[in-house]
Amino acid sequence: MALIIDKKILLPVNTQSLISRAHNLLQDYLAISKFKVVAMLVLTAWVGLALAPDVGRGMVVQFISLLGIGLLSAAAAVINHVVDSEIDSKMARTRHRPVAKGRLSKTHALSFAAVIGVAGFIMLMVWANTLTAILTLFALVGYAFVYTSFLKRATPQNIVIGGLAGAMPPLLGWVSETNQMAAAPWLLVMIIFTWTPPHFWALAIARKSDYERAKIPMLPVTHGIDFCKTCVVAYSVLLAVVCVLPYLIGMSGLIYLIGACVLNAVFIYKAVKLKTAGNDETAMDLFRFSIIHLMVLFVILFIDKWLPL
């Protein structure tokens, strides 16, 4: 029986233990799904969907489409955890991940990936369209297998080449709405594609010893930190140029242009600061800001659509 002490219900020990285990398991599932990363991907997919021509789809159908994209993205993240479990165990930043730590078996994790992956694919087939389902599946294969299993271990350009898979969500959101490809969403893909190298290289600079220990050929490991810092600055400038393109083609208005210019000015400032007087903390500062940069940039894109100037 449950006990009542000072009007608080104390559950039996077995029940408390079961709840604790369920909570820990949920936390592990969220961790291997990279919930925060997937949430950002879904945000960019949502903006792509919102910018697409209105074809009269209901909000519920749109929500299910975004959920399907999110589930397939999460499945890719789970596979990444399984494939990288040995590497993760050697790195301070990742050694406590559920699969690397042994809290979840590889079989358990892959079964979870299969369930949410199939569910996401079916959602897209039924509530979006076949093209979106196939493109999202290709993105999963690109990230979970081509990047994680091959590129990450083969070349210091792993982030540059493999970044395309992670840049696809805006296109997926657009296609889920229109069932056709278009040039406009590819500009959004290009923004994320250009953003990805300086974002990850900043982290790689701060965690260079981790990547060396795991024998991952990240750019600061193979070409040195100073060269990598130069590349971060170059890509930051390129990112600023690419971010202006939606305004130049009439896809967005002044609200977006002003927001993009401010965000990219700060990005370039932090990149130059890293290059001229950087240390691990400066690199992590740029890495953390880059996450805010991308999230706010896409939110401004959405706001700009509804409050055009």
Side-chain angles (χ1 to χ4, degrees):
M1 294 177 59
L3 300 178
I4 302 179
I5 300 178
D6 294 333
K7 298 182 179 181
K8 292 182 180 180
I9 299 178
L10 297 183
L11 298 173
V13 175
N14 289 344
T15 304
Q16 290 180 334
S17 176
L18 184 62
I19 293 174
S20 177
R21 288 173 59 188
H23 176 265
N24 292 336
L25 186 61
L26 176 61
Q27 292 296 110
D28 285 341
Y29 278 143
L30 291 176
I32 62 175
S33 301
K34 297 187 178 181
F35 177 77
K36 293 180 180 179
V37 175
V38 170
M40 181 175 290
L41 295 178
V42 172
L43 170 66
T44 63
W46 172 56
V47 173
L49 183 154
L51 294 178
D54 185 4
V55 295
R57 296 174 77 229
M59 291 182 62
V60 173
V61 175
Q62 291 174 334
F63 174 80
I64 296 174
S65 298
L66 292 174
L67 180 59
I69 293 171
L71 287 175
L72 275 166
S73 300
V78 175
I79 296 171
N80 172 266
H81 272 255
V82 172
V83 175
D84 275 355
S85 58
E86 184 177 347
I87 291 174
D88 287 344
S89 65
K90 299 175 183 177
M91 301 175 63
R93 183 175 64 90
T94 58
R95 65 189 177 196
H96 295 297
R97 286 177 171 175
V99 179
K101 201 68 176 177
R103 295 196 304 273
L104 290 178
S105 69
K106 292 183 179 180
T107 301
H108 190 159
L110 289 175
S111 298
F112 176 60
V115 170
I116 62 176
V118 170
F121 188 81
I122 292 174
M123 287 178 182
L124 292 177
M125 287 289 293
V126 175
W127 283 282
N129 49 68
T130 303
L131 180 58
T132 305
I134 292 174
L135 287 174
T136 309
L137 183 61
F138 280 166
L140 180 153
V141 172
Y143 176 75
F145 297 102
V146 177
Y147 166 71
T148 302
S149 300
F150 175 67
L151 289 174
K152 187 173 183 178
R153 295 159 170 79
T155 171
Q157 293 298 310
N158 44 24
I159 289 300
V160 177
I161 303 170
L164 182 60
M168 292 293 285
L171 176 67
L172 301 177
W174 181 291
V175 173
S176 72
E177 190 74 358
T178 64
N179 195 22
Q180 60 185 7
M181 306 285 271
W186 280 106
L187 285 183
L188 305 183
V189 171
M190 192 182 302
I191 289 174
I192 302 177
F193 180 73
T194 311
W195 168 90
T196 301
H199 164 71
F200 273 105
W201 284 338
L203 176 64
I205 289 171
R207 299 290 184 262
K208 178 175 177 285
S209 59
D210 265 358
Y211 287 108
E212 284 179 327
R213 186 161 50 250
K215 297 182 179 179
I216 299 298
M218 295 299 287
L219 194 63
V221 174
T222 59
H223 289 71
I225 288 179
D226 192 60
F227 178 79
C228 186
K229 289 178 179 179
T230 301
C231 291
V232 168
V233 173
Y235 267 88
S236 300
V237 174
L238 179 60
L239 175 63
V241 174
V242 172
C243 284
V244 175
L245 295 180
Y247 174 78
L248 294 180
I249 69 167
M251 184 180 179
S252 61
L254 280 175
I255 291 177
Y256 169 75
L257 179 63
I258 294 170
C261 288
V262 171
L263 286 168
N264 284 296
V266 177
F267 202 118
I268 292 173
Y269 166 76
K270 289 181 178 293
V272 172
K273 184 179 178 181
L274 174 62
K275 171 64 179 177
T276 56
N279 52 32
D280 288 354
E281 183 52 41
T282 312
M284 287 304 298
D285 180 54
L286 175 58
F287 172 75
R288 286 188 288 265
F289 174 76
S290 67
I291 298 172
I292 297 172
H293 170 281
L294 187 66
M295 181 175 64
V296 174
L297 185 75
F298 273 80
V299 169
I300 293 174
L301 258 175
F302 177 79
I303 293 173
D304 184 88
K305 177 180 174 64
W306 300 107
L307 296 173
L309 290 180

